Amino acid sequence: MSTIEFPRPQVGDLVAQTLARDRLGVWAVVFFVLSAAAPFTVVAGVVTTGWAVTGIIALSVAFLVIGVVLMLFSVGYVAMARRIEHAGAFYAYIARGLGRPAGVGAAWVALLSYNALQVGLYGAVGAAAEPVLAMLGVTVPWYLVALMSWALVAVLGVLRVDVNGKVLAGLLVSEIVVIVVFDAANLLHPFEGVMSFAALNPETLANPGVGATFALAVLGFVGFESAATFSEESRDPQRTVPIATYLSVGILMSLYSVSSWAITVVVGPDNVVQAAKDKSVGLIFDLAATHLGATVAGIGSVLFLTSVIAAMISFHNTTGRYIFALGREGVLPRIFGKVWQKTNAPVAGSLAQSVLGLAVILTYAAMGWDPLVQLFFWCGTSGGVGVLLLITTTSVSVLAFFIRERDEENVWQAVIAPVLSCAALLVISACAIANLDVLLGVPGPLRWTPAAGFAGLAVFGIIVGLMLKVWRPEVYERIGAGAKAALTVDASVGVHRAVA
Amino acid sequence: MHTGRSWPRTEPADQASPVLLAGDLFLVAHQKTRRCEIHSRVLASGLAGSLLAELVLFGNISAKNGVLKVERREPPRDALAHSVLDTMLSQPQHQDLSTWVRFWETSAVDEVAKRLQRRGLVRKAPRWGVRRSRSGWETVGREDVVAAPGLRLAYRLMPYSHGGADPLSSADVMLASLVDLLGLTETVLWDRMTRPAALAELGRVRACLTPNLTEVLEAVSQVKTGQVLAPH
């Protein structure tokens, strides 16, 4: 056979160069993570509603404490991320660290938590759209706005049209700029001319309801874990993912603590709870209108709305991917492992999430329940508590994993940081559960609803995991395998078909 | 009754079918409307796997535990397969099968389309608008020719052909497996009445896939699933 001589490319590593073209650098990963965290939604929505419901001003300090603890947690988390398959999902860490049954339990808790976070945002979007629609001279009930945004999210989810990265980056930068401008204006107009640092005083944490404040603070950081998802898509996973994770947590921590402190400075620490109760999410826009003018406040209102919608899309897609992964692994019915080949979207997971969202909106509209407190705040904080419990269990898993399988990791990564973060997270979780009554504003047994729900789901998941171990060992072996679960499932589908 | 040999082929009969694998998959993906009916990245991962599978079928490479190994350096006659092998030989530091699937994913659609274009079977199409094709290409020419791979698979997986005719070749088993993986089964097995039996036959023949081709299929499956799991 004649041999055709092809000129050999005089290049270094052609494969690495080609794959690197589409890969993400540190700032690209940071942008994705910050977009998922939706900082403006937290500053304008969570902070003010949190003050109004809990009556505690310690949020600024709580953001600092949680930020530091999450950075400590991230040391072991990103170190372990290099060693597991499905690096963006907490349940994969828990399956590897504490065993697969615990992983299945965590997967169910994660599903409930992310769904709660997503549907909770439908309660905020009405309030976010209100000032924007008012500028247009339109008044629309919250549930119509929620239904319109639901339709948008549902369609984009099935079409897998994520908001364009550059648009997202533009919106995010605008959000951050507006937050910084608002903060500067607030700090330049202190209440009665005195710059108060009361909200930054650690003593404010000495409050019986401080656990509620910690749970709220965690809510602001949800999404930071997704940086590890980008391991395979980053230019240098050993460097990009850890730096992006620390940067994201650091930026969020600074934004949240400074912004919440700045509001207490301009309103006065003693008045901020009442002001939040009176004006709710409109508080920071009223302050902006006073100090910066109606135009800047209007821009802020528009960006708050886009921030809420971007967060909805982000949480919807996260939930859809979670459902898809569990469907592929056989933990959920296989129908959830389906994708729509035209768009490559996890269609069953996306539709399931959308059906839940629609049911929640219609139920709240029919019952006349308050969308901001009883939907946005309750679901948001319940989801936040769920994610806090997941992070805590993951920190225990990281520790357990490195006790058994330590390789190149140094003592700081494998022992010191995981031990410190684990201890801190256990205390914070215990406080949060103990203060659920403050968080939800409901006395009596109802306060335990989220904790009981998560505990029940975790136990159910563990039982399912143990059943899989006995009756379907091939599925059990693949729990937490992520993409690597693919062919086993495909092959078993073939067998099912053959049997059928 | 038709036999497998009587179905039209997209290539002259003297050429071995393994050369056609990636082209066949491309044509199946465009069979329904002459334009691509699946997401371009899904098609790309399937075609990337097909290009590697062609080299497996030529005996140039093998795959075990996710690692590729060059078994025979003598290049195949097909120019694209030759080029794929040549690139792999020039990058010996990369042996991970998934890495190679991801690498060829970046160019497989256009490379395979150009190979078909040289045979007059495809032409450029707009990516946007009414006449858009997700791959950027559309098929041209005689319908029986461009639909040949799909018809061949359908015929050989149909229940009435099980007892006779030609058994599926390794290349066609791989093609059928990739068609299923990429979600194109209903395009090929369009007859609802016979589809369950054909799917059962597909499950049976896929179990007979050689270990090397199974590895390639697994790598494509992983890359494709990874596309869904990764935020973007």
Side-chain angles (χ1 to χ4, degrees), chain B residues 4 38 54-55 58 61 86 114 125 143 162 173 180 182 186-187 196 208 214 216:
Chain B
I38 56 176
E54 285 180 2
L55 289 182
F58 279 127
I61 61 170
D86 199 60
K114 283 172 191 166
E143 197 156 343
H162 292 173
V173 175
D180 193 34
L182 268 51
E186 289 183 12
T187 300
C208 305
T214 302
V216 175

Side-chain angles (χ1 to χ4, degrees), chain B residues 137-197:
Chain B
W137 297 85
E138 62 185 354
T139 57
V140 289
R142 283 171 49 192
E143 197 156 343
D144 61 334
V145 176
V146 294
L151 292 170
R152 190 172 73 242
L153 279 190
Y155 174 72
R156 296 194 182 167
L157 287 170
M158 290 295 177
Y160 48 77
S161 70
H162 292 173
D166 294 342
L168 284 164
S169 65
S170 291
D172 277 348
V173 175
M174 186 66 180
L175 175 62
S177 304
L178 285 166
V179 161
D180 193 34
L181 185 63
L182 268 51
L184 290 163
T185 318
E186 289 183 12
T187 300
V188 173
L189 305 173
W190 45 269
D191 182 0
R192 286 170 183 265
M193 297 289 286
T194 54
R195 193 184 297 155

Side-chain angles (χ1 to χ4, degrees), chain B residues 205-216:
Chain B
V205 297
R206 184 165 46 194
C208 305
L209 209 57
T210 65
N212 282 324
L213 291 175
T214 302
E215 289 263 347
V216 175

Side-chain angles (χ1 to χ4, degrees), chain A residues 52-283:
Chain A
V53 174
T54 65
I56 302 169
I57 64 160
L59 214 41
S60 310
V61 190
F63 280 128
L64 289 173
V65 171
I66 295 294
V68 171
V69 170
L70 290 184
M71 280 195 197
L72 267 179
F73 163 79
S74 298
V75 174
Y77 176 73
V78 296
M80 186 170 164
R82 297 169 194 145
R83 308 264 297 273
I84 68 167
E85 304 299 341
H86 193 183
F90 286 130
Y91 84 93
Y93 293 76
I94 293 166
R96 191 76 184 271
L98 298 179
R100 292 184 176 92
V104 179
W108 280 98
V109 172
L111 269 183
L112 180 63
S113 305
Y114 286 113
N115 270 306
L117 290 170
Q118 207 279 342
V119 299
L121 287 165
Y122 289 123
V125 74
E130 196 180 301
V132 179
L133 293 171
M135 283 190 276
L136 302 170
V138 183
T139 308
V140 179
W142 76 269
Y143 51 84
L144 281 186
V145 179
L147 285 173
M148 281 189 282
S149 56
W150 170 84
L152 177 73
V153 172
V155 171
L156 291 182
V158 171
L159 295 180
R160 210 180 180 210
V161 181
D162 281 301
V163 179
N164 179 283
K166 285 177 184 163
V167 174
L168 213 57
L171 285 174
L172 181 68
V173 169
S174 309
E175 275 182 46
I176 292 174
V177 168
V178 166
I179 291 173
V180 170
V181 170
F182 280 19
D183 289 352
N186 289 340
L187 293 173
L188 289 171
H189 297 87
F191 182 67
E192 293 180 343
V194 180
M195 178 84 77
S196 169
F197 292 91
L200 291 173
N201 187 346
E203 285 179 9
T204 54
L205 288 174
N207 186 303
V210 70
T213 311
F214 282 139
L216 273 177
V218 169
L219 179 58
F221 291 92
V222 174
F224 83 99
E225 73 278 11
S226 61
T229 312
F230 295 95
S231 288
E232 280 202 358
E233 300 197 16
S234 58
R235 288 196 189 125
D236 179 4
Q238 301 289 328
R239 186 178 159 273
T240 307
V241 168
I243 294 176
T245 304
Y246 302 136
L247 262 178
S248 304
V249 174
I251 292 170
L252 290 174
M253 179 178 74
S254 312
L255 272 179
Y256 296 156
S257 51
V258 171
S259 301
S260 50
W261 167 60
I263 298 171
T264 66
V265 168
V266 71
V267 179
D270 297 330
N271 308 325
V272 77
V273 170
Q274 192 54 49
K277 281 180 180 168
D278 293 342
K279 296 181 177 172
S280 189
V281 294
L283 176 61

